[in-house]
Amino acid sequence: MNPRVAAARLRERLVRFCERLPRGSLAVAGTVLVLAVGGAVLARTLDVEAVVSAATAADPAPIIAAVGVYVASWPVRGRRYGDVLAPMGHRCRTAFLTAAVFASQTANLIVPARAGDGVRAYLLNDRRGVPYPTGVASLAVERAFDLVALGALGGAALAALLVDGRAVAPDGSGPAVVAATGTALAAALFSAGVVAVARSDRRFGPALRDRAEGSRLSRVVDAAVRFGAAVRVVAADGGAVARVFLASGVVWGVDVLTAVLVLAALVGGFGGSVAPPTLLVVGTLAVSAGNLAKVLPLSQGGIGLYEAAFTGIVVATTPIPAETALAAAALDHALKNAVTLAGGGLVAGAFDLSVTGVPDESERERDTGATRPTADR
C-alpha cells in the first residue's frame, strides 16, 4: 500500500476515534496520567510523610490571611471584565460580572477541556443579552492580558534575582528557571503582539473572506473575522487597554501574595529561614511558571502541572526543601480552588444554574452583532 494512502487512512481513523470519545474525556485521561506519573515521581524522589508533615504544621494565621486576600481579588476580576466588555458596547455591574466569572471558573474546575467558559457566555447572553461572539471574544481578550501580566511578573522576578546577584539554581537546575522565564516572556510578547496588531490600522478581514469565499472554510473564517473585530474594538480603546492591564497586574499580584503567604506559613513566617524579599520574588516567579504550566490542557484544572512548576522554581532558587515547597504549592492551589468552588456554588444557587451542565451555544440563536449596546438590568 502507498505510504501516503496508509497515512491518510490512519489520520481518518484517529479523527473518527476522537469524535466518538465523550466530550472532555481526553482531559480526564490526561489528569489521571499526570497524577499517576506525578505520584510515582513523588514516591521515588521525595519523602511523602515529610510533605504531609510540612502541610499540617503550617501556621494558620498566614493561611487565613491568604484566604482573605484571595477572596478580595474577585471583585477586581469582575471589574476588569467590565472594562473588557464596555468598549464592545455592553456595560454591566461589577457584582453581576464577578458572579459570572465565579461561575465560569468553577465550571472549568469541574467540566473538562475548559468548557466552563461557555457558562460565562451563556450568563451574559441569557441575563444581559450579550451576543455569543462578543462573549467569546471578551474571554480571549481577558486571557491575552492574563498572559501579558504573568509574563511581565515572571520577567521582573527573574530580573530582581539577577540584579541582587543571587546565584540562581546552584544545584544545577538552572535550565528549569530559564525555561520558565522564557515561557513567561514568550507568552507576554505573543499576547502583546496580538493586541498591537489589533490596534494597528491593518484590516485582514476582507482579504481573508475573499480567499475563503465558496470554500468549506468560509464559515470558520467568517466567525474568526467577527471574533477579531470584537477584539479590535477593545484594543483600539487606549484607556480600556490601560485599565485592563492594570487590573490584570492587580489580579495576579494578589495571586502571588496569596502564594507567598502560604509559603511563609510553612517556613516559619516572614522572619524565618527565608527573607521576605526573597519569598516575594521567588513566589512571583513560581506563580507565573505554575499558571503558565496550567495553560497546557494536559490535566483538569492544571492539577499536578501547577504544583510541579511551582515546586521546581522554589527548590531551584531557595534553600527550601522540596517537600516543603511541594506542600506549599499543593496548599496554595487547593486554597484557591476551594475559594473558587465556594463562590461558584453560591452563584449557581443564586442563578439556579448547573455548572456541570454547560449549555451548548449552538442550541441557542446566535446574534452576529458583536457590539450591540446593552444596558445592565
Side-chain angles (χ1 to χ4, degrees):
M1 180 182 296
N2 189 306
R4 293 184 178 180
V5 175
R9 290 183 178 180
L10 178 60
R11 285 196 299 270
E12 184 179 353
R13 290 177 181 176
L14 287 174
V15 170
R16 289 180 180 177
F17 174 74
C18 292
E19 289 177 348
R20 291 176 182 176
L21 290 174
R23 184 181 182 183
S25 59
L26 292 178
V28 174
T31 303
V32 174
L33 179 61
V34 168
L35 291 178
V37 173
V41 172
L42 175 62
R44 291 177 61 88
T45 60
L46 297 179
D47 185 345
V48 178
E49 291 185 1
V51 175
V52 176
S53 297
T56 55
D59 184 354
I63 297 295
I64 294 173
V67 173
V69 166
Y70 189 65
V71 169
S73 72
W74 283 87
V76 180
R77 295 171 183 262
R79 185 61 266 153
R80 177 184 66 161
Y81 193 49
D83 289 332
V84 172
L85 283 172
M88 298 180 179
H90 303 276
R91 297 186 179 275
C92 302
R93 294 177 180 174
T94 301
F96 169 76
L97 293 175
T98 302
V101 175
F102 255 127
S104 64
Q105 294 293 80
T106 299
N108 277 331
L109 294 178
I110 300 172
V111 183
R114 296 195 69 86
D117 286 346
V119 171
R120 195 187 309 186
Y122 166 78
L123 283 174
L124 289 170
N125 180 271
D126 186 67
R127 304 302 174 98
R128 297 296 184 266
V130 178
Y132 275 113
T134 302
V136 173
S138 64
L139 282 164
V141 172
E142 184 183 76
R143 298 282 189 272
F145 278 94
D146 280 339
L147 291 176
V148 171
L150 284 169
L153 287 171
L158 181 64
L161 287 175
L162 297 176
V163 169
D164 187 47
R166 183 179 304 278
V168 178
D171 61 348
S173 53
V177 180
V178 174
T181 306
T183 303
L185 292 177
L189 291 174
F190 173 77
S191 300
V194 171
V195 174
V197 170
R199 282 181 57 81
S200 70
D201 294 330
R202 295 179 178 273
R203 297 182 179 274
F204 303 100
L208 290 174
R209 279 197 172 107
D210 290 342
R211 290 189 178 185
E213 186 176 1
S215 69
R216 296 180 179 179
L217 296 176
S218 59
R219 295 181 62 183
V220 176
V221 170
D222 185 64
V225 169
R226 286 189 285 111
F227 166 82
V231 175
R232 183 185 179 88
V233 170
V234 179
D237 187 334
V241 169
R243 288 191 299 273
V244 175
F245 178 74
L246 289 175
S248 298
V250 172
V251 166
W252 290 108
V254 170
D255 202 277
V256 167
L257 180 57
T258 303
V260 169
L261 287 168
V262 172
L263 192 56
L266 274 70
V267 296
F270 291 102
S273 59
V274 183
T278 301
L279 279 179
L280 180 60
V281 171
V282 171
T284 301
L285 186 57
V287 168
S288 299
N291 280 284
L292 288 169
K294 287 168 59 178
V295 172
L296 298 173
L298 300 179
S299 69
Q300 184 63 23
I303 297 174
L305 300 175
Y306 179 87
E307 287 78 3
F310 187 104
T311 302
I313 294 298
V314 172
V315 172
T317 54
T318 69
I320 296 174
E323 290 81 4
T324 302
L326 178 57
L331 276 177
D332 174 51
H333 205 184
L335 180 156
K336 292 169 180 174
N337 285 347
V339 170
T340 303
L341 289 170
L346 292 175
V347 170
F351 287 163
D352 191 21
L353 177 70
S354 172
V355 294
T356 57
V358 180
D360 185 355
E361 298 174 16
S362 65
E363 294 177 359
R364 299 179 59 86
E365 182 178 356
R366 291 175 179 262
D367 189 340
T368 58
T371 58
R372 184 185 45 155
T374 299
D376 192 13
R377 60 179 184 270

